[in-house]
Amino acid sequence: MVVLVTGSNGQLGQSLQFLAPRFPEIQFVFCTSSDLDITNKQNCEAVFAQIQPHYCINAAAYTAVDKAESEPEKAYQINVMGAKNLAEVCKAHHTILLHISTDFVFDGKKTTPYTETDIPNPTGVYGKTKLGGEIEIQKTLEQHYIIRTSWVYSQFGHNFMKTMLRLASERDRISVVNDQIGTPTHAVDLAECLVKIICHRELVEVQKPTNHNFGIYNFSNEGQCSWYDFARAIFSINDISIHLQPIPTSEFPTPAKRPAYSVLDKTKIKTVFGIDIKDWEESLI
């Protein structure tokens, strides 16, 4: 079984590389943006023709939330047109697409966890382009799994956890917002979830070939917290003593508006694929 992974230099791509030795039955092919540029359909066609993947995990994305506000066209090309290109090429090659989306497709006005059937209403360029990518995939390709996730971090790449640890080495006090509520997601847990979906589908295909369960799913770790709570846990686990100050979002303005509440309901993914999900604090350890 061949699984092509785009964006292999990112957090999720590196997490999949970390997990790959545990799944010798899968032949992973990891492609960086220089190997496979999802905004270039001809490049996508050439790579797919050579590799002939059974599955494609699209871990390539424009994820600079604030920068997207001043680079909307670049975000659009990667998040919308890139997703469309992959969907079209996957359709031509009978490849199943696993595409990563985000809690930023929601406006954050709910006070209970978002389900897959809640109506998206993104407030910024990043969320709008990620939703646009979802729509292009849904219009083009039946054989898809869209996985919405949130607050992704890991030992790889750039993320909130690594930023906090860097700032703690440079300062003796840090202020972090405490009125945005969501759930951290360890990228390795997300990577493991994607592989389990693939393995589950392969098993189901043998037993019940018509039961595909394609569509949108939510995945994050369990529980919820504020960014302040997340930072406090990071420092506690790493035995770092620092003055941590909770502040409201109004005291930390950013170009892009963040959802005030973006906890995701994982009932569907747990029920359909039998996936056990760790609490966010357990994964942080």
Side-chain angles (χ1 to χ4, degrees), residues 204-226:
V204 168
E205 181 66 16
V206 172
Q207 297 175 346
K208 299 178 182 178
T210 59
N211 184 18
H212 299 311
N213 295 316
F214 296 126
I216 297 176
Y217 291 85
N218 292 335
F219 180 87
S220 69
N221 285 112
E222 294 282 23
Q224 65 180 51
C225 64
S226 69

Side-chain angles (χ1 to χ4, degrees), residues 16-26 28 188-189 192 195-196 278:
L16 284 160
Q17 291 179 65
F18 173 76
L19 282 182
R22 287 175 40 190
F23 299 92
E25 70 275 20
I26 299 176
F28 286 97
V188 174
D189 290 342
E192 188 171 21
V195 177
K196 285 180 177 179
K278 295 178 184 175

